[in-house]
């Protein structure tokens, strides 16, 4: 058996070859001790690496035609073969795949086979979805959505967003939630918000703006860029605590920035690894940073990482928008129900509710 480790936009992956066939193409959180990127360079593994990188860049790739080792278990083998036959850019439900392999009602068993799949992308389990939504995926539902977008022609699916726009799909979903939502979406039309694509810079801006005016925060950010830039973790670690303070930062904010820089420089917040996290896992990861609470983490998830399903129930503007939309203050249970119903387009719902809270959209 030969193995090779590859850098990708989704973090490190391990490739395994056994008996002239591909046995694994799967993510690793970090390189095993003593291992390095590269490694065994058989013709198959070298070809797989090239095909994998091309696929994730939205380029032509023969990844789906590579020789692979399939499970010997009859049911699993049938599911994997049916999975591989799903055309690029198309999906099938778990129930549909169960019927294709002659096991009506075995949708849950199909899901189990998908969960154990070690040949990601080559055996495209991301193309199997529940009746609604995208469902769970080993690399996270956000990655699953991006993979499907990539295969439908969005070559920028894995590039950092610079603007968040309410898609036609999101608008149609929200409009189906009721007459109030339909009217809000129709009268408002598409909405967009700029995104800060660099996570560390987004954090620095978030720390800087806490509990001060927008104008004051902009002035401090300007001084930081001019006197302490570039705003990268590695560079800011060379800037003293005292120098950060002289730009107008409080002691706590300067401390938070330096501690975040240390953790980023240590590789704890690599983009590829963050992409794999579910939305709630991402929030939980971000709140481990000093100075980051849940609301801040949710705003970073939306306005820096471009997540599609962020509806922050702790946000005052969201609460005001919900109150105006429904005509009365909502209880916690009612708000949780709204969040479930707006999923997987909670971020689009947030933009409409903020718009409503600021005086736009439908009347009370």
């Amino acid at each position: 058996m030969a193995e090779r480790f590859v850098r990708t936009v989704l973090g490190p992956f391990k490739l395994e070859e056994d008996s002239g066939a591909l046995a694994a193409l799967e993510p690793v959180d970090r390189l095993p001790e003593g291992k390095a990127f590269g490694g065994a360079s058989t013709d198959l593994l070298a070809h797989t690496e090239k095909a994998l990188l091309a696929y994730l860049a939205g380029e032509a790739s023969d990844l789906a035609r590579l020789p692979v080792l399939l499970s010997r278990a009859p049911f699993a083998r049938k599911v994997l073969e049916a999975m591989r036959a799903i055309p690029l850019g198309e999906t099938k439900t778990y129930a549909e795949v169960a019927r294709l392999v002659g096991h009506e009602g075995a949708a849950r068993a199909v899901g189990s086979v998908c969960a154990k799949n070690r040949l990601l992308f080559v055996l495209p389990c991301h193309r199997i979805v529940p009746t609604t939504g995208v469902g769970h995926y080993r690399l996270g539902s956000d990655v699953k959505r991006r993979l499907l977008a990539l295969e439908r022609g969005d070559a920028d699916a894995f590039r950092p967003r610079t603007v968040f726009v309410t898609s036609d799909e999101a608008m149609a979903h929200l409009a189906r939630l009721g007459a109030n939502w339909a009217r809000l979406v129709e009268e408002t039309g598409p909405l967009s918000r700029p995104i800060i694509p660099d996570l560390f810079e987004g954090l620095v801006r978030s720390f800087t703006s806490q509990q001060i005016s927008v104008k004051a925060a902009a002035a401090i950010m300007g001084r930081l860029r001019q006197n302490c830039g570039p705003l990268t973790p590695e560079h800011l670690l060379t800037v003293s605590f005292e120098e950060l303070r002289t730009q107008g930062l409080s002691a706590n904010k300067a401390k938070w920035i330096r501690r975040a820089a240390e953790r980023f420089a240590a590789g704890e917040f690599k983009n590829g690894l963050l992409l794999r996290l579910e939305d709630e896992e991402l929030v939980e990861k971000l709140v481990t940073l000093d100075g980051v609470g849940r609301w801040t983490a949710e705003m970073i998830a939306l306005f820096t990482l471009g997540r599609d399903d962020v509806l922050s129930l702790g946000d005052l503007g969201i609460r005001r928008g919900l109150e105006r939309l429904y005509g009365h203050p909502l209880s916690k249970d009612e708000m949780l129900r709204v969040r479930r119903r707006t999923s997987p387009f909670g971020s689009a719902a947030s933009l409409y509710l903020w718009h409503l809270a600021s005086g736009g959209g439908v009347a009370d």
Side-chain angles (χ1 to χ4, degrees):
M1 181 179 291
E3 65 179 15
R4 183 176 181 84
F5 293 92
V6 180
R7 288 187 180 92
T8 81
V9 68
L10 296 174
F13 272 72
K14 179 175 71 171
L15 316 180
E16 283 184 9
E17 178 183 342
D18 189 3
S19 304
L22 196 63
L25 194 167
E26 58 186 349
V28 291
D29 290 337
R30 59 184 64 84
L31 291 183
E33 189 173 348
K35 299 291 184 179
F37 286 108
S41 189
T42 67
D43 288 345
L44 176 59
L45 292 183
H47 186 76
T48 300
E49 177 177 355
K50 183 178 179 181
L52 171 63
L53 297 179
Y55 168 74
L56 291 174
E59 300 168 0
S61 168
D62 60 356
L63 198 64
R65 295 190 293 274
L66 296 173
V68 298
L69 285 180
L70 294 177
S71 171
R72 294 180 179 178
F75 176 78
R77 189 180 188 92
K78 288 181 181 179
V79 170
L80 294 172
E81 288 172 342
M83 178 191 300
R84 201 172 198 191
I86 303 173
L88 188 77
E90 296 184 16
T91 61
K92 288 192 179 297
T93 67
Y94 294 101
E96 286 174 330
V97 173
R99 284 194 294 272
L100 282 173
V101 300
H103 289 264
E104 184 83 30
R108 191 179 295 258
V110 170
S112 179
V113 173
C114 290
K116 297 173 183 176
N117 180 22
R118 296 189 67 207
L119 285 159
L120 300 186
F121 320 134
V122 180
L123 300 177
C125 54
H126 62 275
R127 295 178 198 160
I128 303 181
V129 299
T131 305
T132 58
V134 297
H136 295 290
Y137 183 54
R138 184 172 177 182
L139 298 178
S141 56
D142 185 62
V143 169
K144 188 171 183 176
R145 281 190 287 267
R146 290 173 189 249
L147 288 171
L148 293 173
L150 183 79
E151 294 182 354
R152 290 166 180 158
D154 182 3
D156 296 327
F158 286 106
R159 295 192 180 117
R161 290 179 174 179
T162 57
V163 62
F164 187 96
V165 181
T166 54
S167 66
D168 290 344
E169 187 181 8
M171 292 168 65
H173 176 85
L174 296 177
R176 289 193 294 268
L177 299 184
N180 51 353
W181 280 102
R183 185 180 170 198
L184 173 60
V185 169
E186 181 181 357
E187 292 190 0
T188 305
L191 291 172
S192 64
R193 287 282 189 94
I195 280 179
I196 304 169
D198 182 81
L199 174 56
F200 183 75
E201 183 178 343
L203 275 169
V204 172
R205 182 174 293 192
S206 175
F207 291 147
T208 301
S209 62
Q210 288 184 19
Q211 298 181 326
I212 61 175
S213 70
V214 173
K215 183 178 180 179
I220 294 173
M221 284 297 296
R223 289 195 292 270
L224 282 171
R225 287 195 179 92
Q226 180 176 348
N227 302 324
C228 303
L231 301 184
T232 65
E234 294 76 12
H235 180 75
L236 284 185
L237 286 175
T238 68
V239 179
S240 71
F241 176 83
E242 291 73 19
E243 182 67 12
L244 289 175
R245 291 276 285 116
T246 61
Q247 310 312 313
L249 292 170
S250 68
N252 274 338
K253 291 178 181 180
K255 178 179 66 177
W256 294 341
I257 289 172
R258 285 190 60 82
R259 288 185 177 174
E262 290 169 355
R263 294 183 62 183
F264 271 71
E268 287 189 51
F269 290 86
K270 292 182 178 178
N271 285 342
L273 299 180
L274 294 178
L275 274 174
R276 300 180 192 173
L277 299 178
E278 297 291 351
D279 294 332
E280 185 59 30
E281 293 172 331
L282 175 63
V283 168
E284 290 174 358
K285 176 73 173 176
L286 291 171
V287 297
T288 66
L289 288 162
D290 289 350
V292 176
R294 184 175 183 88
W295 178 84
T296 298
E298 289 171 335
M299 295 304 101
I300 290 169
L302 202 172
F303 293 121
T304 297
L305 299 176
R307 288 297 179 100
D308 287 310
D309 199 16
V310 180
L311 184 63
S312 177
L313 300 184
D315 183 90
L316 181 59
I318 295 293
R319 289 173 175 264
R320 285 177 175 168
L322 287 170
E323 180 176 348
R324 189 169 179 213
L325 185 66
Y326 287 94
H328 61 86
L330 270 61
S331 67
K332 182 178 179 180
D333 286 344
E334 288 173 323
M335 288 192 292
L336 288 171
R337 183 170 179 267
V338 170
R339 185 161 66 184
R340 287 193 297 270
R341 295 184 68 214
T342 59
S343 182
F345 301 108
S347 298
S350 293
L351 264 60
Y352 282 107
L353 291 170
W354 279 319
H355 174 75
L356 192 57
S358 66
V362 297
D364 292 4

